[in-house]
Amino acid sequence: MSSPLRSTCYGLRLVCSSSTIIGFLAAFIDDPIVVRTRVFGLCLSGFSFFSWLWISILTAYHDHEPNPKDVLLRASVHTTSYAIMVPPWLIFGIGLLVQPSPACSKETNDSAKCGLTIISGVLSIVGALLAASCIFAVRRSDTNANNGETEAYAEYTPLRTVLYAWTFTATVITGTIGLAAAPLDTFAPHLRAFGICISVVSFPGWIWLGILTSHHMRPDTDQSLTRASTHFYTFVAMVPLFLAFGIGTLSQQSYNCNTTQNSDGLAPRWCDVTVIAGSLSLLVAILSAATALAIQLSGAGTGLQRNVCLRSSDSAGKPRYRLVPSAAVDV
């Protein structure tokens, strides 16, 4: 059964797992005063990476026709998974947030370390809260179901669902890195311009992708937001934009990755930001192309004026009380 609240929680939780990158960067903080940030950052990045993979799998199965034989559709699997995620993210968040005192002190005098530590901690706390919200959303969808109404279920499309989630997540991270690159005064003459372009396109882009993601598994509606053409052309339009941003940003690498120039030790950071921003832009372009292809192939021969999500052939007309809502099969 389609649940916008649950879909939103799953999507936001997946995006928050982007703390993998933030934690990974925090793990490289090497300062005798900030002694535990590296440990917490490394733990956060490792845990978030595997959580991101698992959440992607759960997201791919959370809105399909119930099947008691499929373990990944059981509510207990989803609620238990998120319940397990809450304590570690709380621990990492609290552990990182007690570090700003030394990290932001006059002794370190490094705003980057201070900001990175705080952002990592806040993302961890937000991740824990979102995981708890997902538990509530799953249980609520379970409670509100089984009222005897007819419900249309979607065909199994885990690949398309995962591609939506990955593209959404990659766009958010790319926009964040682009925003970080925009104010940098580096050796690269055009990095600032590319950073501004990436952030300006990415932020409205991920908002729009979030809307499309919440409408991509609704086979029983006939709205413009559920049409295959809307989804297909959105991802097609993203390909050339992010491809251009990626190539353009990576063209600035030779300026910032030249260690022979005097930069007061900032050149390695500029180089990292340039490479990461360019690589992520190319990743968004690749994922967008793959998602557009998946949309086209999922309804081959039926055109793009159809619903982006095909109705399951054996679910139409079945009363809902004979079926258990998606992500709520608990047998």
Side-chain angles (χ1 to χ4, degrees):
M1 182 180 65
S2 177
S3 173
L5 173 62
R6 192 176 66 236
S7 298
T8 301
C9 286
Y10 276 53
L12 290 175
R13 175 57 268 176
L14 192 63
V15 171
C16 198
S17 294
S18 62
S19 56
T20 300
I21 292 181
I22 304 297
F24 183 72
L25 294 176
F28 281 92
I29 293 180
D30 186 13
D31 194 297
I33 299 178
V34 191
V35 292
R36 297 185 181 86
T37 300
R38 170 173 287 189
V39 176
F40 282 119
L42 187 61
C43 292
L44 174 62
S45 61
F47 182 76
S48 296
F49 176 73
F50 290 106
S51 297
W52 176 68
L53 293 178
W54 182 241
I55 293 172
S56 297
I57 296 173
L58 295 182
T59 303
Y61 282 87
H62 88 286
D63 233 352
H64 290 295
E65 181 180 0
N67 180 3
K69 296 181 180 180
D70 198 330
V71 176
L72 291 175
L73 289 176
R74 296 181 181 178
S76 58
V77 174
H78 289 243
T79 54
T80 302
S81 296
Y82 285 112
I84 292 174
M85 294 176 189
V86 173
W89 264 309
L90 277 177
I91 293 172
F92 298 149
I94 295 173
L96 283 165
L97 288 178
V98 299
Q99 298 298 308
S101 295
C104 302
S105 65
K106 294 181 179 179
E107 297 179 46
T108 56
N109 193 27
D110 193 331
S111 58
K113 294 178 182 178
C114 176
L116 197 58
T117 303
I118 294 176
I119 292 174
S120 300
V122 171
L123 277 176
S124 296
I125 298 294
V126 172
L129 295 176
L130 287 174
S133 300
C134 288
I135 298 174
F136 168 76
V138 172
R139 301 315 303 174
R140 181 181 179 183
S141 64
D142 188 11
T143 303
N144 292 342
N146 297 324
N147 57 7
E149 298 178 8
T150 300
E151 179 73 12
Y153 290 94
E155 282 192 347
Y156 282 92
T157 55
L159 174 61
R160 182 167 59 85
T161 304
V162 168
L163 286 173
Y164 270 65
W166 285 359
T167 307
F168 181 47
T169 304
T171 305
V172 174
I173 300 174
T174 303
T176 304
I177 300 298
L179 190 63
L184 294 180
D185 185 13
T186 69
F187 296 130
H190 305 301
L191 179 61
R192 176 173 293 182
F194 283 118
I196 293 174
C197 291
I198 290 174
S199 58
V200 167
V201 173
S202 295
F203 283 111
W206 70 257
I207 293 175
W208 178 242
L209 287 180
I211 296 173
L212 293 184
T213 301
S214 66
H215 286 80
H216 89 290
M217 294 294 287
R218 301 187 185 185
D220 54 345
T221 61
D222 186 20
Q223 304 175 1
S224 59
L225 290 174
T226 61
R227 289 177 186 168
S229 57
T230 303
H231 292 243
F232 177 78
Y233 291 121
T234 294
F235 289 106
V236 168
M238 291 175 62
V239 174
L241 284 174
F242 283 95
L243 188 62
F245 295 154
I247 295 174
T249 304
L250 290 177
S251 69
Q252 306 299 298
Q253 176 187 357
S254 58
Y255 297 98
N256 288 334
C257 297
N258 185 357
T259 57
T260 60
Q261 302 182 75
N262 183 19
S263 62
D264 295 330
L266 295 176
R269 297 183 184 178
W270 296 343
C271 178
D272 293 341
V273 171
T274 304
V275 173
I276 292 173
S279 300
L280 284 174
S281 296
L282 293 180
L283 178 62
V284 172
I286 294 172
L287 289 174
S288 299
T291 308
L293 181 62
I295 293 172
Q296 178 66 32
L297 295 179
S298 65
T302 59
L304 292 174
Q305 295 306 313
R306 58 177 172 82
N307 192 304
V308 69
C309 179
L310 299 179
R311 184 190 297 262
S312 178
S313 58
D314 61 348
S315 68
K318 288 185 179 180
R320 192 186 300 173
Y321 64 82
R322 293 178 57 190
L323 298 172
V324 188
S326 302
V329 178
D330 209 352
V331 293

